[in-house]
Coordinates of all heavy atoms in Angstrom, one line a residue:
V1 N -1.6 -14.0 -13.5 CA -1.1 -12.8 -12.9 C -1.6 -12.8 -11.4 O -2.8 -12.9 -11.2 CB -1.5 -11.5 -13.6 CG1 -0.9 -10.3 -12.9 CG2 -1.1 -11.6 -15.0
S2 N -0.6 -12.6 -10.5 CA -1.0 -12.3 -9.1 C -0.4 -11.0 -8.7 O 0.6 -10.6 -9.1 CB -0.5 -13.5 -8.1 OG 0.9 -13.4 -8.0
F3 N -1.1 -10.3 -7.8 CA -0.7 -9.0 -7.4 C -1.3 -8.6 -6.1 O -2.4 -9.0 -5.7 CB -1.0 -7.9 -8.5 CG -2.5 -7.8 -8.8 CD1 -3.3 -6.9 -8.2 CD2 -3.0 -8.7 -9.8 CE1 -4.7 -6.9 -8.5 CE2 -4.4 -8.6 -10.1 CZ -5.2 -7.7 -9.4
P4 N -0.6 -7.6 -5.3 CA -1.2 -7.1 -4.1 C -2.3 -6.1 -4.5 O -2.1 -5.3 -5.4 CB -0.1 -6.4 -3.4 CG 0.9 -6.1 -4.5 CD 0.7 -7.2 -5.6
N5 N -3.4 -6.1 -3.8 CA -4.6 -5.2 -4.1 C -4.5 -4.0 -3.2 O -4.7 -4.0 -2.0 CB -5.9 -6.0 -3.8 CG -7.1 -5.0 -3.9 OD1 -7.1 -4.1 -4.8 ND2 -8.1 -5.3 -3.1
F6 N -4.2 -2.8 -3.9 CA -4.1 -1.6 -3.2 C -5.4 -1.0 -2.8 O -5.5 0.0 -2.0 CB -3.3 -0.5 -4.0 CG -2.6 0.5 -3.2 CD1 -1.5 0.2 -2.4 CD2 -3.0 1.8 -3.2 CE1 -0.9 1.2 -1.6 CE2 -2.4 2.8 -2.4 CZ -1.3 2.5 -1.6
G7 N -6.5 -1.6 -3.2 CA -7.8 -1.2 -2.8 C -8.3 -1.9 -1.5 O -9.5 -1.7 -1.1
F8 N -7.5 -2.8 -1.0 CA -7.8 -3.5 0.3 C -8.2 -2.5 1.4 O -7.6 -1.4 1.5 CB -6.6 -4.3 0.7 CG -6.8 -5.2 1.9 CD1 -7.8 -6.0 2.0 CD2 -5.8 -5.2 2.9 CE1 -8.0 -6.8 3.1 CE2 -6.0 -6.0 4.0 CZ -7.1 -6.8 4.1
W9 N -9.2 -2.9 2.2 CA -9.7 -1.9 3.2 C -8.7 -1.4 4.1 O -8.8 -0.2 4.5 CB -10.9 -2.6 3.9 CG -10.5 -3.7 4.9 CD1 -10.5 -5.0 4.6 CD2 -10.2 -3.5 6.3 NE1 -10.1 -5.7 5.8 CE2 -10.0 -4.8 6.8 CE3 -10.1 -2.4 7.1 CZ2 -9.6 -5.0 8.1 CZ3 -9.8 -2.6 8.4 CH2 -9.5 -3.9 8.9
R10 N -7.7 -2.2 4.5 CA -6.7 -1.7 5.5 C -5.9 -0.6 4.8 O -5.4 0.3 5.5 CB -5.9 -2.9 6.0 CG -6.6 -3.8 6.9 CD -5.7 -4.9 7.5 NE -6.4 -5.7 8.4 CZ -5.8 -6.8 8.9 NH1 -4.6 -7.2 8.6 NH2 -6.5 -7.6 9.8
M11 N -5.6 -0.8 3.6 CA -4.8 0.3 2.8 C -5.6 1.6 2.8 O -5.1 2.7 3.1 CB -4.6 -0.2 1.4 CG -3.7 -1.4 1.3 SD -2.0 -1.0 1.6 CE -1.2 -2.4 1.0
R12 N -6.9 1.5 2.5 CA -7.7 2.7 2.4 C -7.8 3.4 3.8 O -7.7 4.6 3.9 CB -9.2 2.3 2.0 CG -9.2 1.6 0.6 CD -10.7 1.5 0.2 NE -10.8 0.5 -0.9 CZ -11.9 0.4 -1.6 NH1 -13.0 1.2 -1.4 NH2 -12.0 -0.4 -2.6
L13 N -8.0 2.6 4.8 CA -8.2 3.1 6.2 C -6.9 3.8 6.6 O -6.9 4.9 7.2 CB -8.5 2.0 7.2 CG -8.9 2.4 8.6 CD1 -10.1 3.4 8.6 CD2 -9.1 1.2 9.5
D14 N -5.7 3.2 6.4 CA -4.5 3.7 6.8 C -4.2 5.1 6.1 O -3.8 6.0 6.7 CB -3.3 2.8 6.4 CG -2.0 3.1 7.1 OD1 -2.0 3.7 8.2 OD2 -1.0 2.9 6.4
L15 N -4.6 5.1 4.8 CA -4.4 6.4 4.0 C -5.3 7.5 4.5 O -5.0 8.6 4.7 CB -4.6 6.1 2.5 CG -4.4 7.3 1.6 CD1 -2.9 7.8 1.7 CD2 -4.7 6.9 0.2
L16 N -6.6 7.0 4.9 CA -7.6 8.0 5.4 C -7.2 8.6 6.7 O -7.3 9.8 7.0 CB -8.9 7.3 5.5 CG -10.1 8.1 6.0 CD1 -10.4 9.3 5.1 CD2 -11.3 7.2 6.2
I17 N -6.8 7.7 7.6 CA -6.5 8.1 9.0 C -5.1 8.8 9.1 O -5.0 9.9 9.7 CB -6.5 6.9 10.0 CG1 -8.0 6.4 10.0 CG2 -6.0 7.3 11.4 CD1 -8.1 5.1 10.9
N18 N -4.1 8.2 8.5 CA -2.8 8.8 8.7 C -2.3 9.8 7.6 O -1.4 10.5 7.8 CB -1.7 7.6 8.7 CG -2.0 6.7 9.9 OD1 -2.2 7.2 11.0 ND2 -1.9 5.4 9.7
G19 N -3.0 9.8 6.5 CA -2.7 10.7 5.4 C -1.4 10.4 4.8 O -0.8 11.3 4.1
R20 N -0.9 9.2 4.9 CA 0.4 8.8 4.3 C 0.2 7.5 3.4 O -0.7 6.7 3.7 CB 1.4 8.5 5.4 CG 1.8 9.8 6.2 CD 2.8 9.4 7.2 NE 3.2 10.6 8.0 CZ 4.0 10.6 9.1 NH1 4.5 9.4 9.5 NH2 4.3 11.7 9.7
M21 N 1.1 7.3 2.5 CA 1.1 6.1 1.7 C 1.2 4.9 2.7 O 2.1 4.9 3.5 CB 2.2 6.0 0.7 CG 2.0 7.1 -0.4 SD 0.4 7.0 -1.3 CE 0.7 5.5 -2.2
P22 N 0.3 3.9 2.6 CA 0.3 2.8 3.6 C 1.6 1.9 3.5 O 2.2 1.8 2.4 CB -0.9 1.9 3.1 CG -1.7 2.9 2.3 CD -0.8 3.8 1.7
S23 N 2.0 1.5 4.7 CA 3.1 0.5 4.8 C 2.7 -0.6 5.7 O 2.3 -0.3 6.9 CB 4.4 1.2 5.4 OG 5.4 0.3 5.5
T24 N 2.6 -1.8 5.2 CA 2.0 -2.9 6.0 C 3.1 -4.1 6.0 O 4.1 -4.0 5.4 CB 0.8 -3.5 5.3 OG1 1.1 -4.1 4.1 CG2 -0.3 -2.3 5.1
E25 N 2.7 -5.1 6.8 CA 3.6 -6.3 6.9 C 3.8 -6.9 5.5 O 5.0 -7.3 5.2 CB 3.0 -7.3 7.8 CG 3.8 -8.6 8.0 CD 3.2 -9.5 9.0 OE1 2.2 -9.2 9.6 OE2 3.7 -10.7 9.1
N26 N 2.8 -6.9 4.7 CA 3.0 -7.5 3.3 C 3.5 -6.5 2.3 O 4.0 -6.9 1.2 CB 1.6 -8.1 2.9 CG 1.3 -9.3 3.6 OD1 2.1 -10.2 3.9 ND2 0.0 -9.5 4.0
L27 N 3.4 -5.2 2.6 CA 3.9 -4.2 1.7 C 4.7 -3.3 2.6 O 4.3 -2.2 2.9 CB 2.8 -3.4 1.0 CG 2.1 -4.1 -0.2 CD1 0.9 -3.3 -0.6 CD2 3.1 -4.3 -1.4
P28 N 5.9 -3.7 3.0 CA 6.7 -3.0 4.0 C 7.4 -1.8 3.6 O 8.0 -1.0 4.4 CB 7.7 -4.1 4.5 CG 7.9 -4.9 3.3 CD 6.6 -5.0 2.6
Y29 N 7.5 -1.6 2.2 CA 8.4 -0.5 1.7 C 7.7 0.9 2.0 O 6.5 1.0 2.1 CB 8.6 -0.6 0.2 CG 9.2 -1.9 -0.2 CD1 8.5 -2.9 -0.7 CD2 10.6 -2.1 0.0 CE1 9.1 -4.1 -1.1 CE2 11.2 -3.3 -0.4 CZ 10.4 -4.3 -1.0 OH 11.0 -5.4 -1.4
R30 N 8.5 1.9 2.2 CA 8.1 3.3 2.2 C 8.0 3.8 0.8 O 8.6 3.3 -0.1 CB 9.0 4.1 3.1 CG 9.0 3.7 4.6 CD 10.2 4.3 5.3 NE 11.5 3.9 4.8 CZ 12.6 4.4 5.2 NH1 12.7 5.3 6.1 NH2 13.8 3.9 4.7
W31 N 7.3 4.9 0.7 CA 7.0 5.4 -0.7 C 8.2 5.8 -1.5 O 8.2 5.6 -2.7 CB 6.1 6.7 -0.6 CG 6.8 7.9 0.0 CD1 6.8 8.3 1.3 CD2 7.5 8.9 -0.7 NE1 7.5 9.4 1.5 CE2 8.0 9.8 0.2 CE3 7.8 9.1 -2.1 CZ2 8.7 10.9 -0.1 CZ3 8.6 10.2 -2.4 CH2 9.0 11.1 -1.5
H32 N 9.3 6.1 -0.8 CA 10.5 6.6 -1.5 C 11.5 5.5 -1.8 O 12.5 5.7 -2.5 CB 11.2 7.7 -0.8 CG 11.6 7.4 0.6 ND1 12.7 6.7 0.9 CD2 11.0 7.6 1.8 CE1 12.8 6.5 2.2 NE2 11.8 7.0 2.8
D33 N 11.3 4.3 -1.2 CA 12.2 3.2 -1.5 C 11.6 1.9 -2.0 O 12.2 0.9 -2.1 CB 13.1 2.9 -0.3 CG 12.3 2.4 0.9 OD1 11.0 2.2 0.7 OD2 12.8 2.2 2.0
T34 N 10.3 2.0 -2.4 CA 9.6 0.9 -2.9 C 9.9 0.6 -4.3 O 10.1 1.5 -5.2 CB 8.1 1.1 -2.8 OG1 7.4 -0.1 -3.3 CG2 7.6 2.3 -3.5
P35 N 10.1 -0.7 -4.7 CA 10.3 -1.1 -6.1 C 8.9 -1.1 -6.8 O 8.9 -1.3 -8.1 CB 10.8 -2.5 -6.0 CG 10.3 -3.1 -4.7 CD 10.2 -1.9 -3.8
N36 N 7.8 -1.0 -6.1 CA 6.5 -1.0 -6.7 C 6.1 0.4 -7.2 O 6.0 1.3 -6.4 CB 5.5 -1.5 -5.7 CG 5.8 -2.9 -5.1 OD1 6.1 -3.8 -5.8 ND2 5.7 -3.0 -3.8
I37 N 6.0 0.5 -8.5 CA 5.8 1.8 -9.1 C 4.4 2.0 -9.7 O 4.0 3.1 -10.1 CB 6.9 2.1 -10.2 CG1 6.9 1.0 -11.3 CG2 8.2 2.2 -9.5 CD1 7.9 1.3 -12.4
H38 N 3.7 0.9 -9.9 CA 2.3 1.0 -10.5 C 1.3 0.2 -9.6 O 0.9 -0.9 -10.0 CB 2.3 0.4 -11.9 CG 3.0 1.3 -12.9 ND1 2.5 2.5 -13.3 CD2 4.1 1.1 -13.6 CE1 3.3 3.1 -14.2 NE2 4.3 2.3 -14.4
F39 N 1.0 0.7 -8.4 CA 0.0 0.1 -7.6 C -1.3 0.1 -8.3 O -1.7 1.0 -9.0 CB -0.2 0.9 -6.3 CG 1.0 0.7 -5.3 CD1 1.8 1.7 -5.0 CD2 1.2 -0.6 -4.7 CE1 2.8 1.5 -4.1 CE2 2.2 -0.7 -3.8 CZ 3.0 0.3 -3.5
C40 N -2.0 -1.0 -8.2 CA -3.4 -1.1 -8.8 C -4.3 -1.9 -7.9 O -3.9 -2.5 -6.9 CB -3.3 -1.8 -10.2 SG -3.0 -3.6 -10.1
T41 N -5.6 -1.7 -8.1 CA -6.6 -2.5 -7.4 C -7.1 -3.6 -8.2 O -6.8 -3.7 -9.4 CB -7.8 -1.5 -7.0 OG1 -8.5 -1.1 -8.2 CG2 -7.2 -0.3 -6.3
I42 N -8.0 -4.4 -7.6 CA -8.6 -5.5 -8.4 C -9.4 -4.9 -9.5 O -9.4 -5.4 -10.7 CB -9.4 -6.4 -7.5 CG1 -8.5 -7.2 -6.6 CG2 -10.3 -7.4 -8.3 CD1 -9.2 -8.1 -5.5

């Protein structure tokens, strides 16, 4: 199994600073149009 780690420090920082669900180059979707429904951390 391979998966994106939602506990990655950039994700945490983006959520902390901007107060919004992170959107990055590798996870470009916005919260309302993402196919990812069960984000998890390592």
Side-chain angles (χ1 to χ4, degrees):
V1 181
S2 71
F3 57 92
N5 172 35
F6 205 69
F8 183 50
W9 71 268
R10 287 184 180 174
M11 296 285 196
R12 302 188 194 196
L13 185 62
D14 192 32
L15 185 59
L16 177 65
I17 294 176
N18 297 318
R20 296 178 178 177
M21 295 302 292
S23 178
T24 67
E25 181 178 352
N26 287 321
L27 283 170
Y29 302 103
R30 294 169 295 175
W31 69 270
H32 58 83
D33 62 7
T34 179
N36 302 316
I37 57 177
H38 287 294
F39 285 112
C40 72
T41 69
I42 290 175

